[in-house]
Amino acid sequence: MNESNQAADDPELTGKSAHLTTQRLEKLPPEIGILMLGFGVAGLIFPGPFGTPLIVAGGLSLWPKGFRRVDGWVARKLPKSHESGHRWLERFMDDLEQRYPETA
């Protein structure tokens, strides 16, 4: 079993992964946060499942204290969507760090 499947099966590992993703989002440059918010709004207007995770991620990178509550609310109300969004954002940030290591 690989690490991502193991994390999906174990709620404790999933919680730790989500916490680490949140910490990484808070360290992103503000320009990336603004881009995520913009793409998130476009994702809500146009069809696609990426609007809400991008809005929460952009908010966490720009206003960490305020959006932690939103992130917690989404985690309680929509746990599967929250987990899926965190996995998607983790892949996005890994790719961003590989492409632009000097900004990470």
Side-chain angles (χ1 to χ4, degrees), residues 27-78:
K27 294 178 184 178
L28 284 176
E31 296 85 6
I32 302 296
I34 291 169
L35 280 173
M36 284 194 284
L37 280 174
F39 285 129
V41 170
L44 292 176
I45 295 171
F46 300 110
F50 301 114
T52 304
L54 283 171
I55 289 175
V56 173
L60 278 169
S61 69
L62 294 173
W63 305 289
K65 289 182 182 178
F67 269 83
R68 278 191 207 120
R69 290 176 133 186
V70 174
D71 188 47
W73 180 83
V74 172
R76 283 190 312 276
K77 297 293 183 181
L78 306 164

Side-chain angles (χ1 to χ4, degrees), residues 19-31:
H19 181 69
L20 292 174
T21 303
T22 302
Q23 287 179 336
R24 286 178 70 187
L25 284 170
E26 292 174 2
K27 294 178 184 178
L28 284 176
E31 296 85 6

Side-chain angles (χ1 to χ4, degrees), residues 48-103:
F50 301 114
T52 304
L54 283 171
I55 289 175
V56 173
L60 278 169
S61 69
L62 294 173
W63 305 289
K65 289 182 182 178
F67 269 83
R68 278 191 207 120
R69 290 176 133 186
V70 174
D71 188 47
W73 180 83
V74 172
R76 283 190 312 276
K77 297 293 183 181
L78 306 164
K80 289 183 181 181
S81 297
H82 183 262
E83 179 185 334
S84 174
H86 268 275
R87 280 195 314 260
W88 183 81
L89 287 168
E90 192 68 35
R91 287 192 308 263
F92 170 76
M93 288 186 293
D94 289 342
D95 183 57
L96 188 67
E97 287 175 357
Q98 286 177 353
R99 290 175 190 242
Y100 308 103
E102 65 278 352
T103 61

